[in-house]
């Protein structure tokens, strides 16, 4: 598995173009596009650009064939300022012609285990999975934390070792709370995973993750799609130590 690394000046534009490429290809071959969105701050610009393109007619996407999922969610209600769903809804989902029954949010307002189990069940039903099967997302957006986490797979957390669940309720010590997250087997069964990394603050961790010196491993390094594409999309500031 070789990762494709791209350094860009405008991460939103590059990510949007890849989103369209993936979507058009999936819709052409399977008549649907199943994408898992990431949270945090970096992807907001991409989501806003997708919405702006829809409004301006810059790119005509068949939103009625798009199905939106989430890579992780905080243990908060959907209207909470920290909610990944709220961020994606404000920036994108409320601004494009996608019906509510095509958006599958993780119900962060529930007990964490209940939310994870409910999402796990929802994914198994949507993808019509047998007990030993994994969903194949057409695209999964991921971010990179400065501690090397991705989704809500944090260093030292229990979900790093999850091998059978699709979705885990993961206790994150630094937040003294749970987060719900897709597990590595789901990430690694995707047709494509795209990391979005932006800003000088991520330069060191990006270098450490992409050019590991010691045996130390960061969670993000364990994203290695078995048969899918892995793209690292970084802006000049985040990639400044890679030269
Ligand atoms: C979340 C994300 C998380 C995020 C990284 C990077 O719920 O916060 O899933 O994994 O992608 O922490 O976040 P930034 O884009 O804000 O740097």
């Amino acid at each position: 598995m070789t990762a494709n690394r791209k350094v860009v000046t405008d991460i939103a534009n590059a990510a949007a173009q890849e989103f369209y490429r993936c979507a058009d290809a999936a819709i052409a071959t399977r008549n649907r596009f199943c994408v898992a969105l990431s949270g945090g701050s970096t992807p907001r610009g991409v989501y806003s650009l997708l919405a702006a393109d829809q409004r301006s007619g810059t790119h005509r996407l068949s939103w009625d064939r798009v199905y939106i999922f989430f890579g992780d969610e905080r243990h908060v209600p959907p209207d909470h300022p920290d909610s990944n769903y709220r961020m994606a809804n404000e920036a994108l989902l409320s601004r494009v012609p996608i019906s509510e029954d095509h958006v599958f949010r993780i119900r962060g307002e529930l007990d964490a285990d209940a939310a994870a189990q409910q999402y796990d069940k929802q994914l198994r039903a949507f993808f019509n999975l047998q007990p030993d099967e994994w969903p194949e997302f057409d695209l999964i957006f991921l971010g990179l934390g400065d501690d090397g986490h991705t989704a809500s797979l944090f260093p030292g957390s229990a979900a790093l070792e999850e091998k059978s669940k699709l979705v885990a309720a993961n206790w994150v010590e630094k937040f003294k709370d749970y987060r719900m997250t897709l597990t590595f087997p789901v990430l690694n069964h995707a047709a494509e995973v795209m990391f979005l990394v932006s800003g000088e603050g991520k330069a060191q961790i990006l270098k450490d993750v992409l050019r590991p010196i010691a045996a130390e491993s960061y969670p993000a390094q364990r994203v290695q799609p078995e048969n899918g594409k892995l793209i690292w999309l970084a802006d000049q500031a985040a990639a400044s130590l890679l030269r």
Side-chain angles (χ1 to χ4, degrees):
M1 183 55 237
T2 54
N4 182 354
R5 300 172 186 173
K6 293 180 183 174
V7 180
V8 295
T9 49
D10 178 354
I11 206 165
N13 189 53
Q17 294 316 308
E18 183 60 19
F19 178 93
Y20 294 138
R21 190 200 64 73
C22 277
D24 291 344
I27 292 166
T29 53
R30 284 181 294 281
N31 198 30
R32 74 180 190 185
F33 175 51
C34 300
V35 54
L37 302 182
S38 68
S41 55
T42 304
R44 183 188 282 269
V46 189
Y47 303 161
S48 299
L49 180 57
L50 294 173
D53 281 353
Q54 171 63 28
R55 190 174 57 251
S56 65
T58 304
H59 190 96
R60 282 276 168 245
L61 177 61
S62 305
W63 284 99
D64 63 324
R65 306 312 308 145
V66 178
Y67 295 83
I68 299 282
F69 300 84
F70 289 83
D72 70 327
E73 186 55 276
R74 286 79 180 281
H75 194 201
V76 294
D79 59 354
H80 190 283
D82 291 346
S83 165
N84 289 338
Y85 166 79
R86 172 172 159 173
M87 183 271 285
N89 189 47
E90 286 175 350
L92 175 63
L93 304 177
S94 60
R95 300 164 64 198
V96 292
I98 191 167
S99 60
E100 282 186 11
D101 63 356
H102 279 214
V103 178
F104 300 85
R105 70 174 181 87
I106 301 172
R107 297 180 60 191
E109 67 275 22
L110 301 178
D111 161 81
D113 277 321
Q117 288 171 35
Q118 190 262 354
Y119 208 58
D120 192 299
K121 190 175 174 185
Q122 204 167 28
L123 291 179
R124 290 182 190 279
F126 179 87
F127 287 96
N128 193 25
L129 301 179
Q130 295 303 315
D132 60 346
E133 289 182 322
W134 301 97
E136 183 182 319
F137 285 96
D138 297 300
L139 176 62
I140 298 180
F141 279 109
L142 288 177
L144 176 66
D146 55 14
D147 58 0
H149 81 263
T150 192
S152 283
L153 296 162
F154 284 81
S157 64
L160 297 181
E161 305 313 322
E162 180 55 55
K163 300 285 189 288
S164 57
K165 293 175 185 170
L166 307 185
V167 188
N170 196 26
W171 177 259
V172 184
E173 187 58 29
K174 70 195 283 190
F175 300 131
K176 300 286 189 235
D177 201 354
Y178 285 93
R179 286 201 174 175
M180 286 66 70
T181 184
L182 295 183
T183 56
F184 281 122
V186 175
L187 303 183
N188 288 329
H189 277 80
E192 179 166 330
V193 178
M194 178 158 61
F195 278 91
L196 304 184
V197 190
S198 171
E200 194 175 352
K202 297 290 176 70
Q204 187 59 55
I205 187 63
L206 184 61
K207 180 185 177 189
D208 293 344
V209 164
L210 294 182
R211 293 183 181 165
I213 300 166
E216 72 199 288
S217 74
Y218 297 98
Q221 290 169 312
R222 294 170 59 175
V223 177
Q224 297 290 342
E226 291 178 18
N227 298 304
K229 283 175 67 175
L230 174 59
I231 295 180
W232 284 88
L233 200 49
D235 62 14
Q236 307 269 3
S240 58
L241 298 181
L242 293 182
R243 292 185 186 86

